């Protein structure tokens, strides 16, 4: 069967090399996540877990409606986000963790950018009113050859997501 010459090449279509068109997502995602706060870049992370938004469902038994319950959207709940990285070298993170106290302003609006291997943002998540609730140090084991991974868990009030570019 002859090759399909009707399809444009990556350079003709404006796509970066290594992308796929049918699946609508880049095949070369580097899974690097850059986190920015009000004072600049907080750090680069290898993993971001727990980005979620769920809506509680409220059920109501209406008097004349015998066919079932009525359902309405209720409060929105956001998951806890865990940022994972090798040893965190930014003093901003440690200062932020220690700033969380009752009566002080410690929440921050954060921007988490999912970057491809070229450092181009693919998706950008905005967390409103985020603050750290847990920090975990890696195991301190000199006999272990694994890369140590620190974890920082955040809670937040609001979540927005923006897809960059043409969505490919």
């Amino acid at each position: 069967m002859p090759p399909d010459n009707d399809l444009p090449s990556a350079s003709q279509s404006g796509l970066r090399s290594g992308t796929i068109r049918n699946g609508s997502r880049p095949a070369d995602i580097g899974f690097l996540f850059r986190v920015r706060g009000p004072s600049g870049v907080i750090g680069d992370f290898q993993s971001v877990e727990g980005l979620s938004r769920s809506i509680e469902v409220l059920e109501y038994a209406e008097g004349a409606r015998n066919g079932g319950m009525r359902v309405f959207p209720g409060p929105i709940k956001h998951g806890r986000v865990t940022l994972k990285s090798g040893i965190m070298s930014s003093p901003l993170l440690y200062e932020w963790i220690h700033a969380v106290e009752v009566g002080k302003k410690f929440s921050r609006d954060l921007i988490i950018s999912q970057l491809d291997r070229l450092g181009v943002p693919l998706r950008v998540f905005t967390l409103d009113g985020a603050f750290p609730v847990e920090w975990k140090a890696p195991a301190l084991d000199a006999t272990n050859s694994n890369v140590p991974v620190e974890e920082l868990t955040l809670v937040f009030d609001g979540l927005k997501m923006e897809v960059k570019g043409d969505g490919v």
Side-chain angles (χ1 to χ4, degrees):
M1 182 171 187
D4 189 354
N5 293 331
D6 293 332
L7 293 175
S9 69
S11 60
Q12 292 170 330
S13 67
L15 297 173
R16 293 184 308 272
S17 79
T19 60
I20 53 176
R21 191 152 200 57
N22 298 357
S24 292
R25 73 171 231 236
D28 64 344
I29 295 174
F31 295 113
L32 175 66
F33 302 92
R34 177 154 298 144
V35 179
R36 291 182 177 276
S39 38
V41 175
I42 291 175
D44 291 336
F45 296 86
Q46 63 195 32
S47 172
V48 176
E49 297 175 3
L51 278 171
S52 67
R53 180 178 193 261
S54 61
I55 301 170
E56 187 176 320
V57 176
L58 304 175
E59 295 183 347
Y60 178 71
E62 199 170 45
R65 185 172 185 188
N66 295 329
M69 303 285 280
R70 300 264 327 213
V71 292
F72 301 96
I76 295 170
K77 184 176 181 181
H78 297 99
R80 290 180 175 223
V81 173
T82 301
L83 306 173
K84 293 183 181 182
S85 179
I87 301 299
M88 295 180 200
S89 58
S90 171
L92 295 173
L93 286 174
Y94 296 109
E95 291 167 7
W96 189 25
I97 294 165
H98 293 291
V100 177
E101 291 182 29
V102 175
K104 293 191 177 182
K105 180 162 175 36
F106 51 79
S107 64
R108 310 271 188 271
D109 293 343
L110 296 181
I111 297 171
I112 300 174
S113 300
Q114 180 182 6
L115 307 176
D116 67 9
R117 292 180 192 203
L118 300 174
V120 177
L122 298 170
R123 292 190 293 177
V124 176
F125 301 91
T126 303
L127 307 181
D128 298 326
F131 63 92
V133 293
E134 183 178 15
W135 169 75
K136 286 185 189 176
L140 303 175
D141 183 0
T143 63
N144 190 345
S145 63
N146 293 336
V147 174
V149 176
E150 290 188 54
E151 297 180 17
L152 180 66
T153 301
L154 309 168
V155 293
F156 56 95
D157 293 330
L159 172 66
K160 294 178 215 105
M161 184 186 82
E162 177 184 350
V163 177
K164 294 294 191 175
D166 60 0
V168 232

